[in-house]
């Protein structure tokens, strides 16, 4: 996407939108924000492991705080 869009921030926004769309509609807004943050972290660090750990931490937090 970065090569097609030409600008990293456009690629981050487009991929974040795609990421949010494949999730449940009621989760789309926070997922979109998470995806933008993850995209920015990757663009700044070029470290995929940082993004993986952040995503795993978000998922773990979501599971631990889910109402029974």
């Amino acid at each position: 996407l970065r090569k097609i869009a030409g600008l990293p921030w456009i690629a981050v926004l487009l991929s974040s939108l795609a990421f949010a769309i494949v999730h449940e509609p009621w989760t789309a807004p926070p997922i979109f924000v998470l995806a933008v943050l993850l995209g920015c972290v990757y663009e700044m660090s070029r470290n995929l492991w940082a993004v993986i750990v952040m995503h795993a931490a978000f998922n773990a937090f979501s599971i631990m705080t889910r109402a029974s």
Side-chain angles (χ1 to χ4, degrees):
L1 268 176
R2 190 184 308 124
K3 289 179 184 178
I4 295 169
L7 296 170
W9 65 271
I10 293 175
V12 168
L13 290 177
L14 290 175
S15 63
S16 298
L17 181 62
F19 188 64
I21 287 172
V22 300
H23 285 79
E24 295 292 328
W26 61 273
T27 65
I31 293 295
F32 178 76
V33 172
L34 170 69
V36 169
L37 292 173
L38 294 176
C40 290
V41 166
Y42 178 77
E43 284 298 326
M44 292 182 345
S45 70
R46 298 282 191 218
N47 185 343
L48 190 57
W49 281 109
V51 175
I52 291 170
V53 169
M54 288 176 65
H55 189 189
F58 179 85
N59 288 346
F61 179 77
S62 296
I63 290 169
M64 290 186 314
T65 60
R66 187 177 300 165
S68 299

